[in-house]
Amino acid sequence: MNTDYMHQRFQILKLLSDGKFHSGEQLAKKLGISRAAIWKHIQTLQDYQLDVHAVTGKGYRLSPGIELFDAEKILESCPESEIQDLQIFTETTSTNEIILDQISHGSIHRHVVLAEYQESGRGRRGRYWLSRLGSGICLSVGWRFEGSPETLMGLSLATGVGLIRALEKTGIQNAGLKWPNDVLVDGRKLAGILLEMRGESAGPCNVVLGVGINVQRMPARQEGIEQPRTDVETLLGHKISRNELASGVIKELLIMLQRYQEHGFTAFLPEWNTHDCLLGQQAVLLRAGEEITGTVHGVDQQGALLMDINGQTERVISGDVSLRKA
Ligand code: ATP
């Protein structure tokens, strides 16, 4: 992608983010480009599903305005000493990919990457995470664990616990966790987690924790999301600062990672149980094209799912399985 072109588009987005009218002439003057070029950029922003409209005699307006990520605001409440590196992208492939790419070039410990928009936000097993530009939180944190990958089986679950803590601080008290990696409210997906790692079997292990949170309401029909979803602002009934939420989430994730490093998943087990939305319920396990019904019996000390199937407790590790409410 042409970086000059992207830079111009970001400048226009920044100017429009206040939700006020800006004439094509003013925008063209500020950026030193033609009005026709401005119009082209506006069309691209509309292609990103941003509600930019044009009114004759007044200009362009993004309605409602958006609060773009701001490193200073994020670091204000999240000590710089805890974040080794904070990168904010307007558009990128995926925040996880950015950190994964950096592994071969050096340490990614305590690196944080945020994006206003991901072209190919990832979910588990080739699935995706979709988010409208400027309307959610797409965030990844890099962490280097000295131990082997085996000790990290419960990390995805502990990340869910960290997210619940951050959400509770914003006023969302009823979010639940669905094994192994979804944050739901009343059966609607609010946030997704994708953990990716690179390491040797004996350790150390570089972990990239990717998190996607819906902050603003998405269009009612969003192609590609085939499950019920919700967002922070709908749940709270008011607007929220994305920078405050992002910094709250980063803070909780760093605390969680440190605690996990010291104590492993056991330290998170009680909180997981409190928020496990399928605990004690009938659920369907999708495994290798098979649907197995059973009762969720919680998780063990490593974070494996315990499910009662035909009178036997089976231990299920994540990987190639999905869990659904029966
Ligand atoms: P599993 O239970 O196996 O984790 P999952 O469907 O939750 O299944 P994930 O890989 O966790 O799968 O998440 C990817 C899925 O999340 C996508 O297939 C899509 O249906 C859904 N999804 C994508 N973007 C969003 C979004 N912004 N909000 C809610 N759901 C989304």
Side-chain angles (χ1 to χ4, degrees):
M1 208 179 293
N2 181 326
T3 48
D4 282 351
Y5 189 73
M6 262 173 67
H7 180 72
Q8 287 170 5
R9 191 158 66 233
F10 181 59
Q11 291 309 312
I12 296 172
L13 180 62
K14 228 166 139 182
L15 291 164
L16 292 175
S17 67
D18 62 6
K20 296 182 180 153
F21 277 108
H22 296 262
S23 74
E25 202 179 332
Q26 277 170 351
L27 292 173
K29 221 173 175 178
K30 279 189 181 144
L31 271 88
I33 57 177
S34 70
R35 285 174 63 177
I38 293 286
W39 170 231
K40 243 179 118 190
H41 281 302
I42 298 283
Q43 282 177 315
T44 312
L45 292 175
Q46 288 168 337
D47 290 343
Y48 282 113
Q49 297 183 304
L50 285 180
D51 208 358
V52 186
H53 55 268
V55 174
T56 321
K58 285 187 160 179
Y60 302 108
R61 182 166 74 158
L62 171 63
S63 176
I66 52 175
E67 184 200 6
L68 295 169
F69 290 130
D70 179 331
E72 245 174 66
K73 283 191 188 154
I74 291 171
L75 291 171
E76 228 168 65
S77 49
C78 200
E80 222 163 322
S81 58
E82 289 177 5
I83 298 180
Q84 274 300 310
D85 189 32
L86 171 66
Q87 283 180 288
I88 298 177
F89 290 83
T90 314
E91 298 171 47
T92 187
T93 47
S94 102
T95 54
N96 266 25
E97 202 166 310
I98 295 288
I99 303 192
L100 285 170
D101 281 349
Q102 291 169 350
I103 291 176
S104 54
H105 302 116
S107 170
I108 51 115
H109 192 55
R110 293 177 181 273
H111 281 210
V112 177
V113 173
L114 270 162
E116 299 289 356
Y117 178 73
Q118 301 183 111
E119 266 165 31
S120 39
R122 303 214 273 247
R124 296 203 303 144
R125 287 180 280 139
R127 288 183 298 233
Y128 41 80
W129 182 260
L130 291 173
S131 184
R132 194 157 55 106
L133 196 155
S135 76
I137 288 184
C138 306
L139 156 79
S140 295
V141 180
W143 192 275
R144 181 185 159 100
F145 282 94
E146 292 310 320
S148 70
E150 272 160 47
T151 60
L152 303 178
M153 205 167 100
L155 188 56
S156 192
L157 284 71
T159 304
V161 172
L163 285 186
I164 293 272
R165 285 184 171 199
L167 291 166
E168 279 176 351
K169 287 186 179 146
T170 70
I172 296 174
Q173 307 297 345
N174 55 344
L177 295 164
K178 181 176 79 72
W179 185 91
N181 65 340
D182 287 343
V183 179
L184 308 172
V185 177
D186 295 331
R188 297 177 168 273
K189 192 153 161 176
L190 173 63
I193 294 163
L194 179 69
L195 190 148
E196 297 185 83
M197 54 178 105
R198 301 281 184 275
E200 304 301 321
S201 53
C205 197
N206 286 300
V207 170
V208 183
L209 270 189
V211 166
I213 306 175
N214 297 327
V215 181
Q216 291 177 352
R217 191 196 292 261
M218 273 196 247
R221 279 187 54 77
Q222 174 72 54
E223 226 169 279
I225 305 183
E226 63 278 354
Q227 49 184 303
R229 62 180 189 278
T230 189
D231 56 86
V232 173
E233 292 190 351
T234 298
L235 292 168
L236 290 174
H238 58 78
K239 289 199 78 59
I240 182 171
S241 157
R242 280 199 315 141
N243 283 303
E244 272 174 34
L245 179 60
S247 96
V249 168
I250 295 167
K251 218 189 301 185
E252 287 300 336
L253 292 181
L254 292 173
I255 293 171
M256 177 280 295
L257 283 157
Q258 185 66 41
R259 197 159 151 229
Y260 195 99
Q261 182 169 287
E262 287 160 17
H263 307 286
F265 178 64
T266 12
F268 300 89
L269 190 52
E271 260 179 286
W272 172 273
N273 283 332
T274 310
H275 296 287
D276 184 348
C277 47
L278 288 181
L279 186 65
Q281 294 193 31
Q282 286 269 102
V284 179
L285 194 65
L286 310 173
R287 182 165 59 187
E290 235 191 313
E291 291 195 5
I292 309 157
T293 305
T295 307
V296 174
H297 200 60
V299 295
D300 70 8
Q301 306 267 336
Q302 281 76 44
L305 175 75
L306 299 172
M307 204 158 157
D308 288 343
I309 301 165
N310 298 326
Q312 301 243 345
T313 303
E314 209 182 302
R315 182 174 186 267
V316 184
I317 53 171
S318 64
D320 281 352
V321 293
S322 288
L323 193 65
R324 298 280 176 271
K325 194 172 163 54

